[in-house]
Amino acid sequence: MLQTLSIKQFAIIDELEIHFSDGLTVLSGETGSGKSIIIDAIGQLIGMRASSDFVRHGEKKAIIEGIFDIDNSKEAISVLNELDIDIDEDFLLVKREIFSSGKSICRINNQIVTLQDLRKVMQELLDIHGQHETQTLLKQKYHLKLLDDYAENQYSRVKEQYETTFNEYKEKKKELEELQSADQALLQRLDLMKFQFEELQEASLKEGEITQLESDIKRIQNSEKLSLALNNAHVTLTDEHAITDRLYELSNHLQTIDDIIPGRFKKLKEDIDQFYYTLEDAKHELYDEMSNTEFDEQLLNELESRMNLLNNLKRKYGKTIDELITYQSKLESEIAKIENYEESTSQLKEEIDLLYEKVIKYGQSLSKERRIVARTLRDHIVAEIQNLQMKDANLEISFQPLETPTIEGIEFVEFLISPNKGEPLKSLNKIASGGELSRIMLALKSIFVESRGQTAILFDEVDSGVSGQAAQKMAEKMRDIAKYIQVICISHLPQVASMSDHHLLISKMSKNDRTTTQVKELKKEDKIDEIARMISGASVTELTRENAREMIAQNHK
């Protein structure tokens, strides 16, 4: 949720800080007081296009900062981790600086990010809905996702089975297309691949060979030093002062002690005996090793030549030896495919046909499951719309077959609406009436508010063109949504304002011969006066105040 909004030198705003809470927050004020400017400022935080017109006249830059609580947004945290943005606590600091040149800088937790990355994060936190905006929920390409989200994994197994098969089908088709595009360039590539394969095959590459070569070369190059060390070590164990002889004597002495004082030095004697046998074994190992330490110039030349060959191959191909072994295997497979073109294409076509049959089969199963859920969703949406005083509205979820399957399925899914009795079903984005569009959007948002994962939603005068009982129902619906996520609403309707948990009044004032916007949180009587103004549209009287009190009391029962 949005906790704090700080705005500096933005449009007519000099400096402003607004603190938001959870639940339903209403922003009201006279026309032209600056409500839309605050929406524009929040829009900059979610990645909307910046303009030099946003910078207050005479200033170099505008600054908008927002602090968001992301404790309950797993989706946003996942995106932040994906973008490698540090998260120290459960709060996110988002900052946008807009310069008079029109350029802007975006920061998240003091890390500079691209506008695209800013949008990617913020779409998981905040959604701005204005009456005349083209909304995600209206676009057909998102309707299938909304249906799948609503299903809540009811057919996830079938969907995963379809997607896996479809991806295999696409991979095989791509493989076939690559083979069918064989031309002179491919034949030239075949010659190159054959040359590379033969070169690598002749090299007889082995995993870990370089490490062994380095060890062997080092041994031969230091054979004289090694031989001397081995000989000295062996003499230490075999000369007249050999440590093993002294240990043998020590063991005998300890045995004599043990005969007299049983157990007193038994553990020490066992340790001495073990050490004695260890050194005896070492004596033989050192002797055996001494016979293998002669300097062999021919072998050294062979090993160094082999090392040069491997290093040249590594430089030439830009790969490690282990990667070259994998590459050699891949070359062999690719060469076989090209050389057996007819056989390969024939086999691929058979595999593609079989996979296509599976795609259609699983696609039909997926569509069947989706249609079952779609009936429930359709009834849910219709109930929500009709509850918003559109008694004759009807909605259907249309399924139309696609010419070719896609990763999403084998059918085209779209929500079609008939706002009034006798009107044909048509696309959501073709609704002409602003009031109808607002109510339909509110109904859809109330259904999908949980599945979309966002933590805040901002309604920008979506109640325009609505009055009476419809306005009351819209207010109730906003309050319902506010039970799940933070709702910030700019409204002219007293019904909505009276339903609010928090009420902020936006107004303009003159300061130092310049106009600026200010925000005041309304409490008790001030809130009553503002709602009374919204009811009357003119001067506030005791009667309108009483109406406001009654409306607040009724809506908070």
Side-chain angles (χ1 to χ4, degrees):
M1 58 173 277
L2 175 61
Q3 288 198 329
T4 304
L5 175 68
S6 173
I7 308 171
K8 295 178 181 178
Q9 312 304 338
F10 186 82
I12 64 170
I13 296 175
D14 177 24
E15 188 169 344
L16 188 65
E17 184 169 289
I18 309 174
H19 297 280
F20 293 96
S21 302
D22 55 4
L24 175 60
T25 298
V26 169
L27 282 71
S28 68
E30 297 283 0
T31 300
S33 59
K35 300 186 297 296
S36 61
I37 296 173
I38 292 174
I39 297 300
D40 288 337
I42 296 175
Q44 294 304 298
L45 293 181
I46 68 171
M48 289 187 176
R49 189 176 295 278
S51 167
S52 59
D53 295 336
F54 286 143
V55 181
R56 187 171 168 85
H57 178 68
E59 302 294 337
K60 293 180 179 180
K61 66 177 179 179
I63 302 174
I64 305 99
E65 290 181 294
I67 298 176
F68 293 83
D69 181 352
I70 60 171
D71 184 37
N72 295 320
S73 181
K74 294 179 181 178
E75 294 82 359
I77 292 172
S78 175
V79 175
L80 289 165
N81 288 330
E82 179 186 325
L83 297 174
D84 200 25
I85 295 173
D86 294 333
I87 311 173
D88 293 331
E89 298 179 1
D90 295 329
F91 299 97
L92 201 68
L93 174 63
V94 180
K95 184 176 182 180
R96 188 92 180 264
E97 295 175 275
I98 305 166
F99 297 88
S100 55
S101 62
K103 294 182 179 180
S104 71
I105 296 176
C106 313
R107 287 184 174 88
I108 298 178
N109 282 354
N110 295 319
Q111 290 180 232
I112 294 179
V113 297
T114 64
L115 190 61
Q116 183 179 358
D117 287 344
L118 176 67
R119 289 170 181 162
K120 195 173 181 181
V121 173
M122 297 309 296
Q123 72 180 2
E124 304 297 344
L125 291 175
L126 177 66
D127 179 26
I128 295 182
H129 170 53
Q131 183 187 9
H132 303 294
E133 295 175 53
T134 302
Q135 293 296 311
T136 297
L137 293 178
L138 294 181
K139 298 175 183 177
Q140 177 278 325
K141 65 179 180 179
Y142 294 110
H143 291 178
L144 182 56
K145 184 180 186 307
L146 293 174
L147 174 61
D148 288 346
D149 288 345
Y150 184 80
E152 292 185 336
N153 300 319
Q154 287 185 45
Y155 45 75
S156 58
R157 186 186 62 81
V158 178
K159 186 169 180 283
E160 185 178 341
Q161 193 176 38
Y162 172 82
E163 289 172 350
T164 301
T165 306
F166 179 82
N167 283 329
E168 290 176 7
Y169 166 71
K170 289 292 287 183
E171 282 297 317
K172 289 294 180 184
K173 280 197 70 177
K174 181 181 177 184
E175 203 174 327
L176 178 62
E177 288 167 3
E178 288 175 353
L179 275 178
Q180 289 176 332
S181 64
D183 53 16
Q184 190 60 36
L186 185 62
L187 294 176
Q188 291 174 354
R189 181 167 168 258
L190 176 60
D191 290 338
L192 175 61
M193 286 193 298
K194 280 184 174 181
F195 171 79
Q196 291 179 337
F197 176 72
E198 289 168 3
E199 183 178 42
L200 295 175
Q201 187 179 46
E202 186 179 348
S204 299
L205 303 176
K206 301 181 187 68
E207 291 185 4
E209 185 179 4
I210 288 224
T211 302
Q212 185 60 48
L213 280 172
E214 288 172 344
S215 175
D216 292 342
I217 290 171
K218 183 178 180 181
R219 179 190 180 93
I220 295 175
Q221 288 176 336
N222 293 276
S223 59
E224 185 176 346
K225 186 177 180 181
L226 177 60
S227 178
L228 179 60
L230 286 169
N231 184 66
N232 289 337
H234 186 262
V235 168
T236 303
L237 296 175
T238 57
D239 66 6
E240 57 183 287
H241 302 295
I243 191 171
T244 50
D245 293 341
R246 303 305 302 273
L247 287 173
Y248 182 76
E249 292 174 9
L250 177 58
S251 178
N252 287 335
H253 294 320
L254 290 173
Q255 181 61 53
T256 301
I257 295 170
D258 190 61
D259 291 340
I260 300 170
I261 313 175
R264 179 69 175 84
F265 293 99
K266 182 180 179 182
K267 179 65 170 61
L268 177 59
K269 183 181 183 306
E270 289 174 353
D271 291 344
I272 295 298
D273 289 344
Q274 181 61 45
F275 191 33
Y276 172 80
Y277 293 123
T278 299
L279 291 178
E280 281 292 311
D281 290 341
K283 185 194 303 182
H284 298 296
E285 286 181 27
L286 289 167
Y287 182 80
D288 292 340
E289 194 68 27
M290 286 166 62
S291 62
N292 297 322
T293 56
E294 292 184 7
F295 178 75
D296 189 334
E297 185 174 1
Q298 182 179 348
L299 178 58
L300 178 61
N301 290 336
E302 290 174 2
L303 293 174
E304 289 180 337
S305 176
R306 177 68 176 170
M307 179 67 84
N308 289 335
L309 171 64
L310 297 182
N311 285 332
N312 286 337
L313 289 174
K314 284 170 60 181
R315 282 192 295 272
K316 180 176 180 179
Y317 289 92
K319 300 177 186 293
T320 65
I321 296 301
D322 289 354
E323 289 171 340
L324 283 174
I325 292 171
T326 303
Y327 181 58
Q328 180 184 340
S329 177
K330 183 181 178 181
L331 284 174
E332 187 174 18
S333 175
E334 291 293 322
I335 290 168
K337 281 182 185 178
I338 297 173
E339 288 183 335
N340 300 287
Y341 176 80
E342 291 297 332
E343 184 180 344
S344 297
T345 53
S346 177
Q347 183 180 346
L348 271 174
K349 286 176 181 176
E350 288 180 13
E351 292 176 8
I352 289 168
D353 289 341
L354 287 172
L355 283 170
Y356 183 79
E357 289 177 10
K358 285 187 177 181
V359 166
I360 298 301
K361 175 186 172 184
Y362 295 144
Q364 290 170 342
S365 298
L366 180 57
S367 290
K368 182 180 177 181
E369 295 287 345
R370 279 172 168 161
R371 286 169 186 265
I372 293 171
V373 174
R375 286 196 288 271
T376 304
L377 176 57
R378 178 261 173 201
D379 293 343
H380 193 169
I381 295 174
V382 169
E384 291 288 343
I385 295 172
Q386 291 182 348
N387 185 48
L388 292 171
Q389 298 301 297
M390 292 178 66
K391 301 293 185 183
D392 296 322
N394 187 28
L395 180 137
E396 295 294 340
I397 299 178
S398 168
F399 287 79
Q400 298 296 328
L402 292 167
E403 290 186 9
T404 56
T406 69
I407 186 64
E408 294 179 328
I410 62 171
E411 291 185 310
F412 174 94
V413 175
E414 184 178 16
F415 296 176
L416 301 176
I417 185 80
S418 171
N420 303 294
K421 186 179 292 185
E423 290 187 20
L425 291 163
K426 53 189 175 183
S427 298
L428 290 179
N429 56 14
K430 293 183 180 177
I431 298 171
S433 165
E436 289 174 346
L437 178 60
S438 295
R439 281 177 280 172
I440 291 168
M441 287 300 302
L442 193 57
L444 290 173
K445 285 181 180 291
S446 69
I447 292 171
F448 295 111
V449 66
E450 290 184 272
S451 64
R452 297 190 71 192
Q454 290 163 328
T455 61
I457 186 170
L458 197 157
F459 291 110
D460 182 12
E461 299 188 11
V462 294
D463 48 23
S464 295
V466 181
S467 59
Q469 189 65 20
Q472 177 64 25
K473 291 295 182 180
M474 287 189 75
E476 291 172 1
K477 190 59 61 184
M478 288 185 195
R479 182 62 183 267
D480 289 343
I481 295 174
K483 293 175 183 177
Y484 300 100
I485 64 173
Q486 178 190 45
V487 175
I488 301 170
C489 176
I490 289 183
S491 179
H492 293 288
L493 291 180
Q495 292 94 330
V496 176
S498 65
M499 196 75 74
S500 67
D501 298 301
H502 316 281
H503 192 147
L504 302 177
L505 177 64
I506 315 297
S507 60
K508 284 195 300 189
M509 62 174 288
S510 294
K511 183 178 179 182
N512 299 326
D513 295 327
R514 295 199 68 176
T515 300
T516 188
T517 294
Q518 62 181 6
V519 177
K520 176 185 178 184
E521 183 170 2
L522 302 182
K523 302 290 185 182
K524 295 182 180 178
E525 292 304 315
D526 287 338
K527 180 174 180 177
I528 291 170
D529 284 349
E530 174 61 8
I531 293 175
R533 181 195 65 78
M534 297 168 79
I535 291 172
S536 68
S539 59
V540 176
T541 66
E542 191 52 44
L543 179 60
T544 56
R545 284 195 184 94
E546 189 57 37
N547 287 340
R549 289 190 187 96
E550 183 179 354
M551 185 177 287
I552 292 171
Q554 184 66 30
N555 283 333
H556 277 271
K557 276 188 179 179

